[in-house]
Amino acid sequence: MKSPDELKKLATDTLLLEAEAVKKLAERINQTFVDTVSHLVASTGRVVVTGIGKSAIIASKIVSTLNSTGTPAVFMHAADAVHGDLGTIQREDSIICLSRSGNTPEIKALVPLLKKGGNKLIALVGNMDSYLASQADFILDCTVEREACPHNLAPTSSTTAQLAMGDALAVCLLSCRDFSEADFAKFHPGGALGKRLYLRVSDLSSQNPVPSVLPGDDISKVILEISSKCLGATAVVSHEELLGVITDGDLRRMLERTMDLDRLRASDIMSQKPKRIEGSELAINAIQLMEEHKITQLIVTEGGKYAGFVHMHDLLREGLL
């Protein structure tokens, strides 16, 4: 077993080597990269991404990123392609092929078949003198000086470089397509990222009770309303006008000051000008308000009128926190 210092050094060296590999990619963003992006933007087909071994895993991730950012893409394993999966490729599709060496037997067998269909071939390759590079229509240089693996064998720096180049392509494509936050939310309706972009406060508050008391109600009525509605607070309302809020914290502070409860009314202990948010606002904005003011619930209004509460638990339940 390595010592703690040795392990720290190994981990640090790995990260620095991979960071350097990615940094050098920036020096290779040239006209070919621009032409590649221009071709993909103009294409009416999909992007078919293929590779073998670890490159195939990176190819699958690039497909996922492209699909989620507005560029239709499909993964095709290079080994399976020659056993029927070539049928995946349609006439208008473009093909991205990932390979560190560009000379593996599977790639050499596959490339002529890809070229035969007339589809444009984009190579993310780590060897600019390879067979794949010589056959590609667009070459994106993903060469690395060495792998982070101490034996310079296991794909580490090279797969990191491929992944980063794929991200660079995806980001440029989404920008060229004017892919918006609303588009992202449409493709991610079930995830926390998407919910941050489309979930409204009213979507949450409409599922909650709507606690309210009159300004002249006694403390027992206030306590009953807060307890029964399970939101830790109640609004104080008169003729549909929001006057204030009473939280369970307000009740505790009141009891610290006095035990003479008979004469107290809701208006005596309510906090005026409570923090509120319109139901049409994004739920993420409710989080920001709660964190800013160190509170766990907000009054929700619709057109300025009291409509209910949104609670921190609602946001937790939706995975926004």
Side-chain angles (χ1 to χ4, degrees):
M1 178 66 180
K2 298 287 186 181
S3 70
D5 286 343
E6 288 174 317
L7 291 175
K8 290 176 184 178
K9 185 177 187 306
L10 277 170
T12 301
D13 288 347
T14 298
L15 294 174
L16 290 175
L17 277 168
E18 295 194 356
E20 184 64 22
V22 172
K23 182 179 179 181
K24 287 186 179 299
L25 291 183
E27 301 170 5
R28 304 180 196 135
I29 300 301
N30 52 22
Q31 188 59 43
T32 300
F33 181 91
V34 174
D35 292 342
T36 303
V37 173
S38 298
H39 165 72
L40 292 175
V41 170
S43 172
T44 58
R46 306 163 303 169
V47 180
V48 179
V49 191
T50 188
I52 194 77
K54 303 299 188 295
S55 292
I57 297 171
I58 301 302
S60 181
K61 189 274 177 186
I62 291 173
V63 165
S64 179
T65 301
L66 290 172
N67 279 324
S68 68
T69 53
T71 298
V74 62
F75 171 69
M76 181 183 71
H77 197 284
D80 294 333
V82 296
H83 294 285
D85 281 7
L86 278 174
T88 300
I89 304 172
Q90 304 300 306
R91 179 172 298 180
E92 300 301 322
D93 292 346
S94 300
I95 302 164
I96 297 177
C97 185
L98 280 68
S99 176
R100 182 196 175 189
S101 72
N103 289 317
T104 60
E106 295 86 355
I107 295 299
K108 285 187 173 181
L110 177 62
V111 167
L113 300 174
L114 299 178
K115 298 289 288 182
K116 185 177 180 180
N119 303 84
K120 292 295 184 181
L121 178 60
I122 301 161
L124 266 67
V125 64
N127 179 1
M128 295 296 284
D129 297 321
S130 65
Y131 176 75
L132 174 59
S134 71
Q135 297 297 308
D137 297 290
F138 304 95
I139 310 169
L140 302 183
D141 185 0
C142 293
T143 303
V144 298
E145 292 182 2
R146 63 169 288 113
E147 300 288 4
C149 164
H151 308 298
N152 195 28
L153 294 173
T156 44
S157 300
S158 59
T159 48
T160 300
Q162 291 173 342
L163 184 63
M165 187 65 82
D167 286 343
L169 275 175
V171 169
C172 288
L173 289 168
L174 76 86
S175 180
C176 289
R177 299 183 196 282
D178 294 324
F179 190 82
S180 67
E181 290 185 350
D183 294 321
F184 188 89
K186 180 175 67 175
F187 292 150
H188 298 76
L193 288 174
K195 287 181 180 180
R196 286 173 173 263
L197 298 172
Y198 79 84
L199 195 67
R200 303 287 170 178
V201 170
S202 59
D203 296 330
L204 303 177
S205 63
S206 62
Q207 303 176 43
N208 291 332
V210 185
S212 67
V213 295
L214 297 171
D217 285 341
D218 60 28
I219 296 306
S220 61
K221 175 68 182 295
V222 172
I223 293 173
L224 181 61
E225 187 70 356
I226 292 177
S227 177
S228 64
K229 300 299 171 58
C230 301
L231 291 172
T234 181
V236 182
V237 180
S238 178
H239 302 295
E240 298 186 356
E241 180 184 355
L242 177 65
L243 302 180
V245 66
I246 301 173
T247 68
D248 48 13
D250 293 326
L251 292 175
R252 287 193 297 272
R253 285 186 288 273
M254 173 202 67
L255 290 173
E256 291 174 356
R257 294 194 303 268
T258 179
M259 292 299 293
D260 185 10
L261 309 182
D262 293 338
R263 297 182 182 181
L264 285 178
R265 295 293 178 262
S267 58
D268 297 324
I269 63 170
M270 70 180 185
S271 298
Q272 299 183 32
K273 299 180 179 179
K275 300 297 180 292
R276 63 183 77 183
I277 189 169
E278 275 288 308
S280 59
E281 288 207 39
L282 290 172
I284 189 68
N285 294 339
I287 295 176
Q288 294 169 354
L289 269 175
M290 289 183 194
E291 290 179 342
E292 179 182 349
H293 297 287
K294 296 180 173 57
I295 54 180
T296 57
Q297 66 275 107
L298 281 170
I299 283 180
V300 179
T301 55
E302 297 289 351
K305 300 292 185 180
Y306 170 61
F309 279 85
V310 62
H311 197 282
M312 188 70 76
H313 291 163
D314 302 325
L315 304 164
L316 284 166
R317 185 178 63 247
E318 295 294 334
L320 296 177
L321 285 171

